[in-house]
Amino acid sequence: MLSLPNALEAIMGMFIVVGLLLIARGYFDSTFKFLSDTVVYMLGLFITAIYVFSQEINLHSIGGNNTFDPFDLIASAVGLFISLGVVFVFGFKEN
């Protein structure tokens, strides 16, 4: 139960990063139009995983003061895979 904030951080981080990547792809359409949604989702997963896991193993403290707990790493990984599944199933709405 105490690892729930880590899972929520991973989920929210993934949604934010994927959303920003999709906005950037739309803004720089002539340069990045070859990137499919799947590539953008996987790139978002990679960027979010680097941030979340580096915070959990105390490489930085941007998100707060952390102590190492293996259950936090597991909760972060579960959060990342939940958000990846949601993004693949539902996607993002485009105007």
Side-chain angles (χ1 to χ4, degrees):
M1 188 68 176
L2 294 176
S3 296
L4 182 63
N6 296 69
L8 294 176
E9 175 188 29
I11 291 170
M12 290 177 57
M14 175 75 171
F15 291 155
I16 290 169
V17 169
V18 169
L20 290 173
L21 288 172
L22 288 171
I23 289 170
R25 184 183 70 176
Y27 186 75
F28 300 107
D29 190 35
S30 62
T31 307
F32 297 115
K33 65 182 174 185
F34 65 91
L35 293 177
S36 67
D37 287 346
T38 303
V39 172
V40 171
Y41 299 159
M42 297 308 288
L43 184 60
L45 175 71
F46 180 71
I47 292 169
T48 308
I50 288 174
Y51 170 76
V52 169
F53 291 138
S54 64
Q55 179 182 0
E56 292 304 323
I57 59 174
N58 294 324
L59 290 178
H60 65 83
S61 61
I62 295 172
N65 191 7
N66 287 339
T67 57
F68 179 75
D69 183 10
F71 293 111
D72 289 346
L73 284 173
I74 294 168
S76 296
V78 168
L80 285 172
F81 286 113
I82 287 173
S83 60
L84 184 66
V86 168
V87 168
F88 269 117
V89 170
F90 297 107
F92 275 76
K93 180 179 170 128
E94 294 185 28
N95 292 333

